[in-house]
Amino acid sequence: MLLSASFVHACVVIVPLTALVMHTIRSATAFDNANRAMGEGFAFALIGLLGLIRFRTIVRDTREFTFVFISIVTGVGIGGGQFVLTAGGCAFVLILLIVLERIKFGTPRAPSLRVRATGAEDAFAQYETALSRVAERVNSVSLRHTAERGTTYAFEIVAGAGQDIPTIAAAVRVVPGTSEVNVVRLQRGKGPEGDGD
């Protein structure tokens, strides 16, 4: 599966945010050993609650989830009286997000494309071989067989250097029995766009 840059950014940022939550809870209960286990349990419960919030809320982009997490961690930090640590941690995470965005960390160097080809029922290996010649990465997405049209194969690929949509479509069309080819550019987080062939 091809990952969006915002998902990669969120994964990088979640590490220091989780550490900040744990450190805040541990610092708040450091002098009270009786409540230390309860405080650490609270930290894990908070992270679990965050998972529930994430999957019950419509979030269009993973980066939005990251900012929700920043807000929760900031609230816990301020509530725990860790003003300096919270301010420093949030500043670090926001600067990290800006740097990741500027250097385009996690963004594929070539366009991500969805390729659909309709052809013979046993042509999967031939399509995969044809695509591997023009792509850096090929992932099979689906296979659908209908009696009247044949078998439709769907792949997500990262185009190879110098490869464009017409070149990729032409590489797939050479597979014997191919009746239809559709190639569209994927805009991660927004669904496929229609500049296909």
Side-chain angles (χ1 to χ4, degrees):
M1 185 164 98
L2 305 176
L3 302 177
S4 67
S6 64
F7 180 79
V8 175
H9 296 178
C11 289
V12 170
V13 169
I14 283 174
V15 174
L17 287 174
T18 305
L20 182 59
V21 169
M22 291 303 296
H23 184 72
T24 301
I25 298 299
R26 284 182 167 205
S27 296
T29 59
F31 300 109
D32 187 4
N33 287 334
N35 291 327
R36 185 175 185 130
M38 187 171 68
E40 290 177 1
F42 173 71
F44 286 113
L46 179 67
I47 293 168
L49 177 64
L50 182 64
L52 288 174
I53 292 169
R54 162 63 177 103
F55 291 110
R56 294 184 58 89
T57 308
I58 297 172
V59 179
R60 291 171 299 182
D61 187 13
T62 312
R63 198 171 295 120
E64 293 175 6
F65 164 67
T66 304
F67 288 113
V68 170
F69 199 18
I70 290 170
S71 300
I72 291 172
V73 170
T74 303
V76 170
I78 291 171
Q82 302 292 321
F83 301 110
V84 174
L85 178 65
T86 301
C90 287
F92 170 75
V93 167
L94 292 173
I95 290 169
L96 181 61
L97 278 173
I98 291 169
V99 169
L100 291 172
E101 185 70 29
R102 297 286 172 138
I103 66 171
K104 298 184 188 299
F105 182 78
T107 305
R109 302 272 184 240
S112 297
L113 305 169
R114 175 164 289 149
V115 179
R116 283 200 176 105
T118 302
E121 187 175 346
D122 57 352
F124 176 80
Q126 292 173 311
Y127 286 120
E128 197 169 45
T129 302
L131 286 171
S132 65
R133 291 185 191 125
V134 293
E136 292 179 13
R137 190 171 15 172
V138 178
N139 293 324
S140 174
V141 176
S142 68
L143 179 120
R144 183 177 304 156
H145 180 73
T146 56
E148 64 277 355
R149 295 186 67 196
T151 303
T152 300
Y153 304 89
F155 299 90
E156 284 187 4
I157 68 167
V158 174
Q163 303 296 329
D164 58 3
I165 289 175
T167 307
I168 292 168
V172 174
R173 280 195 186 99
V174 300
V175 174
T178 301
S179 60
E180 183 181 335
V181 175
N182 183 21
V183 182
V184 294
R185 184 179 304 270
L186 292 177
Q187 294 293 326
R188 294 298 174 186
K190 299 176 184 170
E193 269 194 4
D195 63 335
D197 180 41

